Amino acid sequence: MNIPFLDNWRKRQAGTRAVALAAAVETDPDGVAELFAECELLRARASQSGLRLDDSPSSLSALDQLPPRWRDDPDELPWLGNDAGLYLGTVLVRTVAGAAWGIRASGQPVVRLASGREIDVVTAGLDWAMTGSPELSEMYAESAESGPEAKSR
């Protein structure tokens, strides 16, 4: 259904939500980190496969080894990919010195490294869920070893 005033309202609200989320990252970074770490769908699917996600780099390798049964459900695929990206970001923020959550003007969560590089973890998670590449463990390893000379993506 095409309702022009509703489309305009949604566009205005999208910017407001991005600003509110960015402000939350500034005022309550731990609370936002906990929210992003929930990843309920990913944790449920991993658990069904006998994998407990413990927010460690080794859990990313274990996720990479799971059979991609989620690809059979096109409705679930983007949600699982989003969760995979947030989980990758959670592992980075919890284990890489100087890594922190940030919010782009579009409202997209990213991980900012001490070097200044931004990792678009949600896009990486979606790519992983859809194609298996890049592997989450590879993204982690590449990001964890990024030095100050690394360029922003």
Side-chain angles (χ1 to χ4, degrees), residues 38-55:
E38 288 181 6
C39 312
E40 287 184 48
L41 180 60
L42 180 69
R43 290 181 189 276
R45 295 299 173 259
S47 179
Q48 289 170 349
S49 296
L51 175 61
R52 184 180 163 277
L53 300 180
D54 61 1
D55 302 347

Side-chain angles (χ1 to χ4, degrees), residues 34 61 64-65 72 76 80 82 99 108 134 139-140 145 152:
E34 287 303 313
S61 296
D64 289 336
Q65 302 307 311
D72 296 337
E76 187 172 287
L80 189 110
N82 188 74
Q108 179 85 3
M139 283 294 299
Y140 174 85
E145 63 188 32
S152 297

Side-chain angles (χ1 to χ4, degrees), residues 39-148:
C39 312
E40 287 184 48
L41 180 60
L42 180 69
R43 290 181 189 276
R45 295 299 173 259
S47 179
Q48 289 170 349
S49 296
L51 175 61
R52 184 180 163 277
L53 300 180
D54 61 1
D55 302 347
S56 69
S58 62
S59 66
L60 294 171
S61 296
L63 274 171
D64 289 336
Q65 302 307 311
L66 288 179
R69 292 187 181 102
W70 54 83
R71 291 187 193 139
D72 296 337
D73 186 348
D75 293 331
E76 187 172 287
L77 185 63
W79 296 104
L80 189 110
N82 188 74
D83 274 9
L86 293 176
Y87 185 72
L88 170 62
T90 295
V91 175
L92 284 166
V93 168
R94 291 186 176 172
T95 63
V96 176
W101 285 106
I103 306 297
R104 289 186 175 158
S106 66
Q108 179 85 3
V110 295
V111 172
R112 291 194 177 111
L113 303 177
S115 66
R117 180 177 176 209
E118 279 189 357
I119 310 298
D120 186 348
V121 291
V122 172
T123 298
L126 290 167
D127 290 345
W128 173 81
M130 289 191 279
T131 66
S133 180
E135 289 186 338
L136 297 174
S137 58
E138 287 177 12
M139 283 294 299
Y140 174 85
E142 177 189 312
S143 300
E145 63 188 32
S146 292

